Amino acid sequence: MDFDSVLAFIVGVLVIAIGLTLSIGLHEIGHLVPAKLFGVKVLQYMIGFGPTVWSKKKGETEYGIKAIPLGGYISMIGMYPPAKGEKVAASSTGFFNGLVADARQSSAETVAEGEEHRAFYRLPVWKRVIVMLGGPFMNLLIAVVLFAVLLMGFGMPQQTTTIASVSECVLPATSERQTCEPGDEAAPGAAAGIEPGDRIVSIEGEAIDSWAESTAIIREHPREPISIVVERDGTQQTLTATPALSERYELDENGQVRTDAAGNELTVEAGFLGIGSTVERVQEPATAVIPQVWEQTTAVGGVILNLPQRLVDVAKAAFGPEERDPNGPLSVVGVGRIAGEVAAMDEIPIVEKAAGFIGILASLNIALFVFNLVPLLPLDGGHVAGALWEAIRRGFAKLFRRPDPGPVDLAKAVPVTLAVALVLGGMSALLIYADIVKPIALF
């Protein structure tokens, strides 16, 4: 890799790093703004963890940047309520009881005399939910804006009806070879005289407006001669081709490869000419943005639901001979590496690189949105779940005319919070290691 390529790689990594840092900062603003609007005293707004690199106090809040930019937080007073009917006891016996007591004590120490009404736990449930959902909602909003720029501004890559390549031979879809060898069956497209640059006008008398339409007809006519009208150098020519019967990937109605329950790609015997299309970006309408966001959201949700198995696969690949799943989870190191590789590739136009960076940042914000909704502390979803459980308890108490049970004591979940944090730390370490020793290869 020459100096220019190394410099481009570094620029690509920095672009994603800055974009991710801004996304984290805006996530925390999503918490900060409603908290202040609802009167909660916010002591700190920090991007990152570890030692403070820079900070400035404005009003009652300290704003700053930490040394490790892998997250962020705001510090609100009174996150945990005191133990019901008694003061916080820092001398509780037992390791877990001590953790709970320490959490309550730390929370109580943030509440100065006369500021009890500004404690977070004193907010009505609906206000606490808004504060905690403000961060993920900000990431969702960022993703919507970025996808709007990507789809409506840059456009999405779509196959055209113009031929880009013509294969010399017929190779099964699952073949590990990419080159032809003596004895391979000749590709019908080349034999019929189809050339790169030809635009398909019609097949068997049917006008062709998309590559999917031409593919469907070809796949349905194995070993049957078909008439193909192409436009070449401004004039139309009629060619006759006989698609070979070959193992091809099974496609759904959207042209995507079907998979079984285990994620293995399905194949089917179908007609094959051996021609490939050119790809160009086509601008999408505004109505395409939300479906794209939803598609990305459900995809990330699927990864999270299957995360244990995915991590096992990552571990097998990192410590064994298996290859990484290109659709599997990545760490920030892996994302940065992909961005750097995109930036360093001379054959990719600058517009395509910019579109790629926007797509990466949009997907990262979808990941932050979905992951933070997981109902486990210390994630935002865990606080939301606690608030909703409190609303349910108080609702039933009111319905059956029982005494108000008071706020849910999330301090009791501190041991679980630490356990989740350890698991997340281990997961991050595994993904970072895998992205270093066996990175996902997209090119």
Side-chain angles (χ1 to χ4, degrees):
M1 186 178 289
D2 57 27
F3 176 77
D4 290 340
S5 296
V6 172
L7 183 60
F9 184 94
I10 294 173
V11 169
V13 172
L14 288 177
V15 167
I16 294 303
I18 293 171
L20 180 59
T21 301
L22 290 175
S23 298
I24 293 171
L26 290 171
H27 173 101
E28 298 307 328
I29 286 177
H31 293 308
L32 178 72
V33 171
K36 284 183 171 288
L37 288 175
F38 293 148
V40 178
K41 185 175 182 179
V42 181
L43 300 176
Q44 286 185 315
Y45 166 90
M46 290 288 171
I47 298 176
F49 300 104
T52 301
V53 175
W54 171 88
S55 70
K56 181 178 181 180
K57 191 166 186 179
K58 185 176 180 180
E60 61 188 15
T61 305
E62 179 189 9
Y63 300 86
I65 298 175
K66 299 282 189 175
I68 306 174
L70 296 179
Y73 66 92
I74 66 169
S75 176
M76 298 178 285
I77 69 170
M79 285 297 293
Y80 301 124
K84 189 173 181 180
E86 60 181 358
K87 295 183 179 180
V88 175
S91 60
S92 299
T93 60
F95 177 72
F96 293 118
N97 287 337
L99 289 176
V100 174
D102 289 343
R104 287 204 191 101
Q105 183 68 38
S106 297
S107 177
E109 289 174 353
T110 63
V111 183
E113 186 175 352
E115 293 184 337
E116 292 82 1
H117 63 290
R118 302 188 64 189
F120 175 73
Y121 78 86
R122 286 185 175 270
L123 287 179
V125 167
W126 66 273
K127 288 186 177 181
R128 270 181 280 157
V129 169
I130 289 177
V131 171
M132 299 316 298
L133 288 182
F137 176 78
M138 185 63 77
N139 292 124
L140 177 61
L141 183 60
I142 295 170
V144 170
V145 171
L146 291 177
F147 274 123
V149 172
L150 182 63
L151 271 63
M152 300 169 61
F154 289 89
M156 292 297 287
Q158 292 185 12
Q159 291 178 300
T160 71
T161 56
T162 301
I163 306 299
S165 61
V166 180
S167 301
E168 297 180 358
C169 64
V170 177
L171 293 176
T174 55
S175 175
E176 296 182 356
R177 284 195 292 119
Q178 299 296 321
T179 57
C180 298
E181 295 181 354
D184 289 336
E185 180 183 357
I194 299 176
E195 299 178 359
D198 290 349
R199 183 178 68 85
I200 299 177
V201 177
S202 66
I203 300 179
E204 286 293 281
E206 294 186 30
I208 299 299
D209 296 318
S210 69
W211 186 255
E213 292 176 351
S214 65
T215 300
I217 296 174
I218 292 169
R219 290 167 70 95
E220 292 171 358
H221 292 79
R223 297 175 178 171
E224 298 178 14
I226 56 176
S227 174
I228 304 175
V229 177
V230 300
E231 182 181 289
R232 181 184 301 167
D233 299 326
T235 61
Q236 293 188 0
Q237 298 186 26
T238 301
L239 306 174
T240 300
T242 303
L245 182 64
S246 176
E247 180 192 50
R248 313 316 304 168
Y249 287 117
E250 186 176 344
L251 306 178
D252 61 17
E253 61 276 5
N254 297 318
Q256 302 299 312
V257 178
R258 293 184 185 275
T259 57
D260 58 19
N264 299 314
E265 296 175 328
L266 300 175
T267 60
V268 65
E269 295 292 315
F272 174 74
L273 282 184
I275 56 177
S277 72
T278 58
V279 176
E280 64 181 25
R281 287 191 173 272
V282 178
Q283 292 180 331
E284 302 280 350
T287 53
V289 175
I290 298 304
Q292 180 69 23
V293 171
W294 174 249
E295 180 181 334
Q296 289 287 323
T297 302
T298 54
V300 173
V303 171
I304 291 176
L305 288 175
N306 296 289
L307 195 55
Q309 181 58 49
R310 297 270 188 158
L311 291 176
V312 169
D313 294 339
V314 170
K316 289 181 178 178
F319 299 103
E322 290 84 353
E323 292 297 322
R324 292 282 299 278
D325 179 3
N327 296 316
L330 287 169
S331 70
V332 291
V333 172
V335 174
R337 184 166 186 159
I338 289 175
E341 290 177 353
V342 170
M345 296 185 71
D346 294 333
E347 58 269 30
I348 299 180
I350 186 66
V351 173
E352 293 295 326
K353 292 179 181 180
F357 292 150
I358 291 174
I360 290 173
L361 288 174
S363 298
L364 279 173
N365 275 277
I366 289 292
L368 289 172
F369 165 67
V370 177
F371 192 72
N372 274 286
L373 292 182
V374 175
L376 292 172
L377 292 169
L379 302 174
D380 297 330
H383 290 280
V384 172
L388 294 178
W389 174 240
E390 178 180 319
I392 293 172
R393 289 202 319 164
R394 284 180 156 169
F396 274 106
K398 186 175 181 180
L399 179 64
F400 294 105
R401 300 181 183 276
R402 295 174 180 171
D404 186 348
V408 169
D409 189 4
L410 288 181
K412 293 180 179 179
V414 166
V416 176
T417 302
L418 292 177
V420 172
L422 287 174
V423 170
L424 294 178
M427 179 185 74
S428 299
L430 171 62
L431 290 176
I432 290 173
Y433 176 77
D435 288 334
I436 293 173
V437 301
K438 190 170 287 185
I440 290 178
L442 297 182
F443 306 102

